[in-house]
Amino acid sequence: AGFIKSPLSQKRLTQDSVELHCEAIGNPIPEIQWWFEGNDPNETYAQLWDGARQDRVKINATYNLHSTSTIYIANLTSDDSGMYECRASNDPDRNHLSKSPKVKWIRSQANVFVIERPDIKVQVSSIAGRLVLTCNMSAPHPAIDGHEWTHGDKVLQTDTESSSFTSYTIEGKMEEHSGVYECVYKSNPVITGQVNVSVAPQVTAYKKSEHGNEGDTGVLTCKSSSFPPVSTWFWYKNGQVPIVNGSGRYIIKSGGNKTELRILKLNIEEDTGDYHCNATNSYGTNGAVVNLRVRSRLAALWPFLGIVAEVLVLVTIIFIYEKRRKPDEVLD
């Protein structure tokens, strides 16, 4: 027996992808093949293989106890619409060119409809301290049952309106709310538009003032959560020549929206001061300042020595007082 586990009818947009799963049970274990018939009346079934359609077709199969096969088609076009057929057989003569197999191929089918992706016009406007994001989908498009606005994994707004236009308003400045927002049209298939709120990097220091002991490793950190991500980080000491990674005692590790400067074997005279971290993306450059203070290794002993000195002074005063005090009269 053989069957397709995926829905037997699927709608997809151009540039999307589709995945179909097929399973077959038999003894001996059957072979699974994938075939396709387009919507053209003159088109007949043709076998699909891994790497077909300019490497857009990927087929993975496993044969263990029973047969399983998955076909994945990327970057769909309208020509990918049609009937996909999963065929399974365990007859030894199943692939013989002239000899008919005794056991017929077991077949299961799924229909895939590829719809032309509608165009979505997006816009970002700043009005009276508010940030207004809009999406407007062009016709023709599937029936709309509502909208959603999302930011990452968070759903910001939802409704059940059927309009091709939808908007979302953010209270605050653009610099505080940069990122990738999505307008989701509840249709079949679901259609999504992307609205980018882009700004220059907004850089903050993890700590504005860092302390380190002489001889230890100092770690200074800056970050930026703005969109688009930072493309280049630079570190400067006291606003002078940029610090080069690997030069002297400096190690710089930057990735995404975070950078870290490590200074090996801290020196009181050379390393104390202000360090500037500058971030650059396609919208500009910004930075932050971290002040580094290097303490002597003996610095932790000074409070203890102060306490010891206070105790010694106090004991000395008590001793002198006891020596000079007149003895009390002894009653007969």
Side-chain angles (χ1 to χ4, degrees):
F3 61 94
I4 289 182
K5 294 180 65 177
S6 307
L8 299 182
S9 180
Q10 297 192 36
K11 290 183 179 180
R12 290 290 188 271
L13 297 172
T14 52
Q15 303 171 22
D16 279 351
S17 61
V18 67
E19 189 173 271
L20 302 173
H21 305 273
C22 182
E23 288 190 5
I25 301 171
N27 187 18
I29 298 174
E31 176 194 0
I32 293 179
Q33 295 180 358
W34 287 95
W35 293 70
F36 170 77
E37 182 183 43
N39 293 327
D40 192 329
N42 297 325
E43 194 168 349
T44 59
Y45 273 102
Q47 186 175 356
L48 295 172
W49 65 92
D50 188 55
R53 297 180 183 173
Q54 298 179 336
D55 209 32
R56 292 189 298 112
V57 175
K58 299 294 181 184
I59 297 177
N60 294 316
T62 58
Y63 298 96
N64 184 16
L65 299 181
H66 67 285
S67 306
T68 61
S69 183
T70 300
I71 185 170
Y72 174 84
I73 307 169
N75 197 20
L76 290 169
T77 68
S78 56
D79 293 335
D80 295 320
S81 294
M83 187 69 70
Y84 289 81
E85 188 172 87
C86 160
R87 298 181 182 181
S89 176
N90 58 4
D91 192 297
D93 298 324
R94 59 185 176 273
N95 292 317
H96 202 285
L97 296 178
S98 59
K99 191 175 182 180
S100 299
K102 297 178 182 178
V103 179
K104 292 184 178 181
W105 289 87
I106 305 299
R107 307 183 182 197
S108 185
Q109 297 175 332
N111 208 349
V112 175
F113 302 92
V114 182
I115 303 170
E116 195 68 32
R117 179 181 292 274
D119 181 48
I120 299 178
K121 293 184 179 179
V122 301
Q123 187 174 357
V124 180
S125 305
S126 183
I127 304 172
R130 295 181 177 182
L131 202 59
V132 181
L133 316 182
T134 61
C135 286
N136 193 6
M137 184 163 59
S138 63
H141 56 73
I144 300 170
D145 297 324
H147 313 87
E148 273 187 0
W149 281 89
T150 63
H151 182 47
D153 296 331
K154 185 178 180 182
V155 178
L156 306 173
Q157 176 180 293
T158 184
D159 63 56
T160 56
E161 298 177 3
S162 60
S163 172
S164 61
F165 176 86
T166 179
S167 66
Y168 175 69
T169 302
I170 303 172
E171 298 286 345
K173 299 179 180 178
M174 183 179 295
E175 289 76 14
E176 300 171 354
H177 299 280
S178 67
V180 178
Y181 295 79
E182 288 189 337
C183 53
V184 181
Y185 290 86
K186 298 177 182 178
S187 57
N188 185 18
V190 173
I191 302 174
T192 303
Q194 184 172 295
V195 184
N196 295 334
V197 180
S198 305
V199 297
Q202 306 301 300
V203 182
T204 57
Y206 182 71
K207 288 183 180 179
K208 292 184 178 181
S209 181
E210 288 281 2
H211 298 80
N213 294 324
E214 188 177 22
D216 289 349
T217 299
V219 181
L220 312 180
T221 304
C222 289
K223 56 184 180 179
S224 170
S225 57
S226 304
F227 180 86
V230 175
S231 56
T232 309
W233 284 100
F234 284 109
W235 281 92
Y236 303 82
K237 183 182 178 184
N238 299 324
Q240 298 174 356
V241 180
I243 297 173
V244 179
N245 184 25
S247 64
R249 295 175 288 110
Y250 299 116
I251 298 175
I252 299 174
K253 184 179 180 181
S254 301
N257 284 334
K258 180 181 178 182
T259 183
E260 183 181 270
L261 170 64
R262 289 180 176 267
I263 308 173
L264 307 178
K265 297 180 181 180
L266 288 172
N267 183 288
I268 294 178
E269 296 180 357
E270 296 180 11
D271 299 326
T272 300
D274 290 334
Y275 291 80
H276 300 251
C277 55
N278 280 18
T280 301
N281 66 11
S282 54
Y283 283 79
T285 300
N286 271 317
V289 180
V290 185
N291 179 261
L292 175 62
R293 299 179 182 179
V294 182
R295 300 172 296 199
S296 170
R297 280 195 173 277
L298 299 177
L301 292 176
W302 292 121
F304 174 74
L305 294 176
I307 294 172
V308 172
E310 289 178 359
V311 171
L312 290 175
V313 171
L314 182 59
V315 169
T316 303
I317 293 173
I318 295 173
F319 179 77
I320 295 172
Y321 174 77
E322 289 293 333
K323 279 289 186 180
R324 292 186 176 183
R325 191 179 64 161
K326 294 180 180 180
D328 293 338
E329 294 183 357
V330 180
L331 297 175
D332 291 339

